[in-house]
């Protein structure tokens, strides 16, 4: 299957992408991983992307698209892939369509993870990270430490990252609504959108997504 994964920040896209890719035996292709891999390998595209990032500018669509094209042409993506973070806007979606036509491929579904805005804010703004190890993550509601403000693993101080503040989260949501959400209508016109609720346990959301993909339709 060839799938595009869409959803607001805090919807759990990264987590679901990993599980879905494993269940479907297809590679999970995220823009973050593409950038890191190309920059690490010092490819021409990586050098180009880094020049924009070092200057504090957004990486142009054509560079992102070229990276995605290169990745989708790898042998492990021959039978499908799951795109996470790309396309990020309608112009990228149009470019992806052109690319797929050129490669004699087509998308099977666009999986839209739906989460109420208040829940997104609650999920992200409630996160607390250990200053000693950022992989130790807690939550004021969903994963409380035994002692308030103290990491259960190493005893380090727990803190809220600046980009996890409610104000920042709402700004990120506005960017999502303005730039990325329009691709849902774009793909609905092609009959590709499968919408599911991303509320509940991780494994329940994965099961819901797999069933919806098999049916070719989301929750009504």
């Amino acid at each position: 299957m060839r799938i595009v994964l869409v959803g607001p920040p805090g919807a759990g896209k990264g987590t679901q992408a990993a599980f879905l890719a494993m269940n479907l035996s297809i590679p999970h292709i995220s823009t973050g991983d593409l950038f890191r891999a190309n920059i690490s390998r010092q490819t021409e595209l990586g050098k180009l992307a880094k020049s924009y990032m070092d200057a504090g500018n957004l990486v142009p669509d054509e560079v992102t698209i070229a990276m995605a094209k290169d990745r989708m042409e790898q042998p492990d993506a021959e039978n499908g892939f799951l795109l996470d973070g790309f396309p990020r806007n309608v112009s990228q979606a149009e470019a992806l369509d052109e690319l797929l036509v050129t490669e004699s491929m087509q998308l099977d579904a666009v999986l839209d993870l739906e989460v109420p805005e208040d829940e997104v804010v609650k999920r992200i703004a409630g996160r607390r990270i250990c200053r000693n190890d950022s992989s130790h993550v807690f939550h004021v509601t969903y994963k409380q430490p035994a002692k308030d403000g103290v990491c259960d693993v190493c005893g380090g101080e727990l803190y809220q990252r600046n980009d996890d503040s409610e104000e920042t989260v709402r700004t990120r949501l506005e960017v999502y609504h303005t730039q990325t959400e329009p691709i849902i209508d774009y793909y609905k016109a092609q009959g590709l959108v499968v919408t599911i609720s991303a509320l509940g346990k991780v494994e329940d959301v994965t099961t819901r997504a797999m069933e919806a993909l098999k049916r070719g339709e989301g929750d009504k």
Side-chain angles (χ1 to χ4, degrees):
M1 293 190 78
R2 297 182 178 89
I3 303 167
V4 167
L5 187 62
V6 183
K13 292 190 298 298
T15 300
Q16 289 304 321
F19 282 109
L20 290 169
M22 180 178 64
N23 285 329
L24 294 167
S25 299
I26 55 177
H28 168 207
I29 303 175
S30 76
T31 48
D33 289 343
L34 286 177
F35 287 154
R36 283 187 289 272
N38 277 273
I39 291 172
S40 175
R41 298 201 313 268
Q42 295 189 330
T43 66
E44 290 304 312
L45 287 171
K47 293 175 182 177
L48 188 57
K50 191 174 186 298
S51 69
Y52 285 100
M53 295 164 71
D54 287 348
N57 298 320
L58 292 174
V59 177
D61 284 354
E62 57 265 29
V63 177
T64 304
I65 292 162
M67 286 185 182
K69 177 179 184 294
D70 179 69
R71 181 64 185 87
M72 288 187 290
E73 290 174 344
Q74 299 303 310
D76 66 335
E78 184 176 347
N79 295 319
F81 47 75
L82 190 152
L83 295 174
D84 171 17
F86 174 82
R88 194 175 293 275
N89 53 50
V90 172
S91 64
Q92 287 187 1
E94 292 171 341
L96 176 61
D97 279 351
E98 293 176 7
L99 171 60
L100 292 173
V101 168
T102 301
E103 300 293 326
S104 299
M105 296 186 291
Q106 63 183 23
L107 290 177
D108 294 295
V110 174
L111 181 60
D112 174 27
L113 300 182
E114 196 171 67
V115 185
E117 191 160 304
D118 287 345
E119 175 63 19
V120 168
V121 174
K122 183 178 179 181
R123 287 182 179 185
I124 300 178
R127 285 195 300 221
R128 297 296 182 266
I129 315 296
C130 177
R131 288 195 185 277
N132 293 342
D133 189 332
S134 61
S135 69
H136 302 164
V137 182
F138 295 84
H139 195 281
V140 297
T141 302
Y142 303 122
K143 188 182 177 182
Q144 298 176 350
K147 184 178 180 181
D148 189 36
V150 179
C151 176
D152 287 352
V153 182
C154 67
E157 178 192 0
L158 299 180
Y159 75 106
Q160 182 187 52
R161 298 187 309 188
N162 290 335
D163 58 352
D164 283 349
S165 69
E166 181 173 342
E167 181 180 2
T168 303
V169 174
R170 292 197 182 278
T171 298
R172 290 168 61 191
L173 280 168
E174 184 58 36
V175 171
Y176 171 77
H177 292 319
T178 303
Q179 297 184 10
T180 304
E181 201 168 46
I183 73 173
I184 296 174
D185 285 337
Y186 175 83
Y187 284 121
K188 276 183 177 178
Q190 300 179 36
L192 290 171
V193 176
V194 175
T195 301
I196 67 160
S197 168
L199 296 176
K201 296 179 180 179
V202 170
E203 57 269 26
D204 291 342
V205 177
T206 304
T207 299
R208 199 178 298 146
M210 289 294 295
E211 291 176 349
L213 287 170
K214 288 176 183 177
R215 293 196 308 268
E217 59 184 15
D219 295 338
K220 300 298 183 182

